[in-house]
Amino acid sequence: MALMLKNAHLVDPQIGLDEVADILIRDGKIVEVGHNLTMEKGEERDLTGKIITPGLVDLHVHFRDPGQEQKEDIASGTRAAAHGGFTAVCTMPNTSPVVDDAVAVEYVKARAAAVGKCRVIVSGACSKDLKGEVLSDMGDMYLHGAPVFTDDGHGIQDAGMMRRVMDYAKQFDTVIMAHCQDDSLVGDGQVNEGVASTRLGMVGWPAEGEELEIARDIALCRLTGCPLHIQHITTKRGLDLVAAAKAEGLPVTCEVTPHHMFLTEDDITAEYQTALKVNPPLRTAEDAAALIEGLKNGVIDAIVTDHAPHTDWEKDREFELAPFGMTGLETSLSLVLTHLVRAGVIDYGRMVQAMAVAPREILRQEPVKLEAGSTADLTVIDPEAEWTVEVGDFYSKANNSGFIGAKLTGRATDTYVGGYATMQDGVVVDGGTI
């Protein structure tokens, strides 16, 4: 069945497209992009005033399946992704059991095929059980469809082990995504070390605990030639290290979350809001400003959510006992639109580059472009939609967002995966899978 999307503003920096036009879709592919298009039969939608971009991709999410489905599962997680405008996500391997072999990769793929509302790309663990001691079955997982590897949630502490990981991964020209955290410095840290830890009386988490491993892993990237992706970067000095590596020509990329750009340690008050307890922690206002500038100038490649759902009872505990992490799939786009695009910090083209183009490149996925022949993975945005983040608005099982009560402008209204509507007019489509 054919689908015609009429009169939307199309934005795709890959092909220099930034104009109002129509898109004709048939059999999951874009057939034609142009003006005043017609078709004999099929569904036609007038999207005047809306923006269409290549489908958004989040290369860092936690769906907790297998093993912790009370927090989130693949069905609820992909529904939350579709609601946030995402057509694909990359799941992290720190589940229970860990995704460290081909059987686990195939399980996640099978569940996503059965219940998914977006494409699910599976990352595999670098080490067995995320212990940083023994190599995982990376080659086997790669052959079964895991394009990237990470021990996310844990920094690989031993430099020799990280070298072996990167030497192994280099054989497949795949990417190692690094959670940079020196446990000997971080210890039991709860919040950023400095003013926040002193004010709150909490154990501090020094920025150097992140920056030392960024420097080490960049050195190992230079040594091995293995592509390196720095996950959820949070500090100005860490960003300077990445910028220097890029200037040197090393294959280094990095990502940033909305919460590290738009929240700081100052937002954690004496109420000890556990929704703001994240790993790595919220840093200083200077760091947040540097991250925004890094996104603007291209040192930061991708915006991710690090969507980390938890149950209410887990987060409703003392700050030091509550788990790290906040949800993000259903607020990310709107936060970027409100605080960056509408504010004139970046334009739509840069947003699309960071939320759709670069993630596919890092994950070694086929590009999606607003041109004939491309897969019809599309995100439709209403740039003027005003809304307030409320608990009842989430499709995720979890409510641990640090942005509850935020007033935002702009959000996704429709999501298409392979020409199939997974969300239409702001409502996730029931029945069927992609």
Side-chain angles (χ1 to χ4, degrees), residues 45 79 81-86 117 380 395 411-416 420-429:
R45 300 196 63 208
R79 287 170 69 83
H83 190 223
F86 291 94
K117 290 294 183 181
V380 181
Y395 279 86
R411 70 186 307 178
T413 59
D414 304 83
T415 309
Y416 291 94
Y420 168 78
T422 56
M423 178 175 70
Q424 190 162 319
D425 293 327
V427 179
V428 174
V429 177

Short mmCIF file of all heavy atoms in Angstrom, two decimals, residues 45 79 81-86 117 380 395 411-416 420-429:
data_model
loop_
_atom_site.label_atom_id
_atom_site.label_comp_id
_atom_site.label_asym_id
_atom_site.label_seq_id
_atom_site.Cartn_x
_atom_site.Cartn_y
_atom_site.Cartn_z
N ARG A 45 -1.60 11.89 3.74
CA ARG A 45 -1.65 12.69 4.96
C ARG A 45 -1.09 14.08 4.68
O ARG A 45 0.02 14.22 4.14
CB ARG A 45 -0.86 12.03 6.09
CG ARG A 45 -1.37 10.63 6.46
CD ARG A 45 -0.83 10.20 7.78
NE ARG A 45 -1.29 11.08 8.85
CZ ARG A 45 -0.60 11.31 9.97
NH1 ARG A 45 0.56 10.72 10.16
NH2 ARG A 45 -1.10 12.12 10.89
N ARG A 79 8.09 0.92 22.54
CA ARG A 79 6.93 1.82 22.49
C ARG A 79 7.34 3.22 22.97
O ARG A 79 6.93 4.23 22.39
CB ARG A 79 5.79 1.26 23.34
CG ARG A 79 5.11 0.06 22.71
CD ARG A 79 4.14 -0.62 23.69
NE ARG A 79 2.97 0.20 23.97
CZ ARG A 79 1.88 0.27 23.21
NH1 ARG A 79 1.82 -0.45 22.10
NH2 ARG A 79 0.85 1.01 23.55
N ALA A 81 10.30 4.41 22.73
CA ALA A 81 11.15 4.95 21.67
C ALA A 81 10.31 5.54 20.54
O ALA A 81 10.57 6.65 20.07
CB ALA A 81 12.07 3.85 21.13
N ALA A 82 9.31 4.79 20.10
CA ALA A 82 8.43 5.29 19.04
C ALA A 82 7.74 6.58 19.48
O ALA A 82 7.61 7.53 18.70
CB ALA A 82 7.39 4.23 18.68
N HIS A 83 7.31 6.63 20.74
CA HIS A 83 6.65 7.82 21.27
C HIS A 83 7.59 9.02 21.28
O HIS A 83 7.16 10.17 21.11
CB HIS A 83 6.14 7.54 22.69
CG HIS A 83 5.23 8.59 23.23
ND1 HIS A 83 5.32 9.05 24.52
CD2 HIS A 83 4.21 9.27 22.66
CE1 HIS A 83 4.40 9.98 24.72
NE2 HIS A 83 3.70 10.13 23.62
N GLY A 84 8.87 8.77 21.44
CA GLY A 84 9.84 9.84 21.43
C GLY A 84 10.33 10.22 20.04
O GLY A 84 11.14 11.15 19.91
N GLY A 85 9.84 9.51 19.01
CA GLY A 85 10.23 9.82 17.65
C GLY A 85 11.38 9.00 17.12
O GLY A 85 11.91 9.28 16.04
N PHE A 86 11.79 7.96 17.85
CA PHE A 86 12.93 7.15 17.44
C PHE A 86 12.49 5.97 16.59
O PHE A 86 11.53 5.27 16.91
CB PHE A 86 13.71 6.65 18.66
CG PHE A 86 14.42 7.75 19.39
CD1 PHE A 86 13.82 8.39 20.48
CD2 PHE A 86 15.67 8.18 18.99
CE1 PHE A 86 14.46 9.42 21.14
CE2 PHE A 86 16.32 9.21 19.65
CZ PHE A 86 15.71 9.84 20.73
N LYS A 117 8.45 -1.91 18.40
CA LYS A 117 7.86 -0.77 17.69
C LYS A 117 8.94 0.12 17.07
O LYS A 117 8.64 1.21 16.59
CB LYS A 117 7.00 0.05 18.65
CG LYS A 117 5.73 -0.65 19.08
CD LYS A 117 4.77 -0.84 17.91
CE LYS A 117 3.47 -1.48 18.36
NZ LYS A 117 2.55 -1.70 17.20
N VAL A 380 8.36 12.54 12.22
CA VAL A 380 7.57 13.74 11.93
C VAL A 380 7.49 14.56 13.22
O VAL A 380 7.14 14.04 14.28
CB VAL A 380 6.16 13.38 11.44
CG1 VAL A 380 5.37 14.65 11.13
CG2 VAL A 380 6.24 12.48 10.21
N TYR A 395 5.11 6.09 27.90
CA TYR A 395 4.85 4.70 27.51
C TYR A 395 5.84 3.76 28.19
O TYR A 395 5.60 2.56 28.27
CB TYR A 395 4.95 4.54 25.99
CG TYR A 395 3.71 4.96 25.24
CD1 TYR A 395 3.51 6.28 24.88
CD2 TYR A 395 2.72 4.03 24.90
CE1 TYR A 395 2.38 6.67 24.18
CE2 TYR A 395 1.58 4.41 24.21
CZ TYR A 395 1.41 5.73 23.85
OH TYR A 395 0.28 6.12 23.17
N ARG A 411 7.69 18.43 19.60
CA ARG A 411 7.78 17.00 19.90
C ARG A 411 7.41 16.20 18.65
O ARG A 411 6.82 16.74 17.70
CB ARG A 411 6.86 16.61 21.06
CG ARG A 411 5.38 16.65 20.77
CD ARG A 411 4.54 16.39 22.02
NE ARG A 411 4.90 15.18 22.72
CZ ARG A 411 4.32 14.77 23.86
NH1 ARG A 411 3.38 15.50 24.42
NH2 ARG A 411 4.69 13.65 24.45
N ALA A 412 7.76 14.92 18.67
CA ALA A 412 7.40 14.05 17.56
C ALA A 412 5.91 13.76 17.60
O ALA A 412 5.32 13.57 18.68
CB ALA A 412 8.18 12.74 17.64
N THR A 413 5.29 13.74 16.43
CA THR A 413 3.87 13.39 16.34
C THR A 413 3.66 12.06 15.63
O THR A 413 2.66 11.38 15.87
CB THR A 413 3.08 14.47 15.59
OG1 THR A 413 3.62 14.62 14.26
CG2 THR A 413 3.15 15.80 16.31
N ASP A 414 4.59 11.71 14.73
CA ASP A 414 4.44 10.48 13.94
C ASP A 414 5.82 9.86 13.76
O ASP A 414 6.83 10.55 13.59
CB ASP A 414 3.85 10.78 12.56
CG ASP A 414 2.52 11.51 12.64
OD1 ASP A 414 2.53 12.74 12.79
OD2 ASP A 414 1.48 10.83 12.58
N THR A 415 5.84 8.53 13.79
CA THR A 415 7.07 7.78 13.57
C THR A 415 6.78 6.67 12.57
O THR A 415 5.82 5.91 12.75
CB THR A 415 7.60 7.17 14.88
OG1 THR A 415 7.65 8.19 15.90
CG2 THR A 415 8.98 6.59 14.71
N TYR A 416 7.61 6.59 11.54
CA TYR A 416 7.44 5.56 10.52
C TYR A 416 8.70 4.69 10.45
O TYR A 416 9.81 5.21 10.34
CB TYR A 416 7.20 6.19 9.14
CG TYR A 416 5.87 6.89 9.02
CD1 TYR A 416 5.75 8.26 9.25
CD2 TYR A 416 4.71 6.18 8.67
CE1 TYR A 416 4.53 8.90 9.15
CE2 TYR A 416 3.48 6.81 8.56
CZ TYR A 416 3.40 8.17 8.80
OH TYR A 416 2.18 8.81 8.70
N TYR A 420 5.88 1.85 7.92
CA TYR A 420 4.81 1.45 8.84
C TYR A 420 4.74 2.48 9.97
O TYR A 420 5.75 2.81 10.60
CB TYR A 420 5.10 0.06 9.40
CG TYR A 420 4.24 -0.35 10.57
CD1 TYR A 420 2.93 -0.79 10.38
CD2 TYR A 420 4.74 -0.32 11.87
CE1 TYR A 420 2.14 -1.17 11.46
CE2 TYR A 420 3.97 -0.70 12.95
CZ TYR A 420 2.66 -1.12 12.74
OH TYR A 420 1.89 -1.50 13.82
N ALA A 421 3.55 2.98 10.27
CA ALA A 421 3.38 3.97 11.34
C ALA A 421 3.42 3.27 12.69
O ALA A 421 2.54 2.49 13.04
CB ALA A 421 2.05 4.71 11.17
N THR A 422 4.48 3.54 13.47
CA THR A 422 4.53 3.03 14.83
C THR A 422 3.94 4.03 15.82
O THR A 422 3.55 3.66 16.92
CB THR A 422 5.98 2.70 15.23
OG1 THR A 422 6.79 3.86 15.05
CG2 THR A 422 6.52 1.56 14.38
N MET A 423 3.88 5.29 15.42
CA MET A 423 3.15 6.31 16.16
C MET A 423 2.47 7.23 15.15
O MET A 423 3.08 7.60 14.14
CB MET A 423 4.06 7.14 17.06
CG MET A 423 3.29 8.25 17.82
SD MET A 423 4.28 9.18 19.02
CE MET A 423 5.36 10.12 17.94
N GLN A 424 1.21 7.57 15.44
CA GLN A 424 0.47 8.46 14.56
C GLN A 424 -0.30 9.45 15.41
O GLN A 424 -1.01 9.06 16.34
CB GLN A 424 -0.48 7.67 13.65
CG GLN A 424 -1.11 8.51 12.55
CD GLN A 424 -1.68 7.64 11.43
OE1 GLN A 424 -1.09 6.64 11.02
NE2 GLN A 424 -2.84 8.01 10.94
N ASP A 425 -0.15 10.72 15.09
CA ASP A 425 -0.81 11.80 15.85
C ASP A 425 -0.56 11.69 17.34
O ASP A 425 -1.44 11.91 18.18
CB ASP A 425 -2.32 11.79 15.56
CG ASP A 425 -2.63 12.16 14.12
OD1 ASP A 425 -1.88 12.97 13.54
OD2 ASP A 425 -3.62 11.64 13.57
N GLY A 426 0.67 11.34 17.69
CA GLY A 426 1.08 11.31 19.08
C GLY A 426 0.73 10.07 19.86
O GLY A 426 1.02 9.96 21.05
N VAL A 427 0.11 9.09 19.20
CA VAL A 427 -0.33 7.87 19.87
C VAL A 427 0.38 6.68 19.24
O VAL A 427 0.36 6.52 18.01
CB VAL A 427 -1.85 7.68 19.77
CG1 VAL A 427 -2.29 6.38 20.44
CG2 VAL A 427 -2.57 8.88 20.38
N VAL A 428 1.01 5.85 20.07
CA VAL A 428 1.68 4.65 19.56
C VAL A 428 0.63 3.70 19.00
O VAL A 428 -0.41 3.46 19.63
CB VAL A 428 2.50 3.96 20.66
CG1 VAL A 428 3.09 2.64 20.16
CG2 VAL A 428 3.62 4.89 21.13
N VAL A 429 0.90 3.20 17.81
CA VAL A 429 -0.08 2.37 17.10
C VAL A 429 -0.13 0.98 17.70
O VAL A 429 0.90 0.31 17.84
CB VAL A 429 0.29 2.29 15.60
CG1 VAL A 429 -0.68 1.36 14.86
CG2 VAL A 429 0.30 3.69 14.99
#
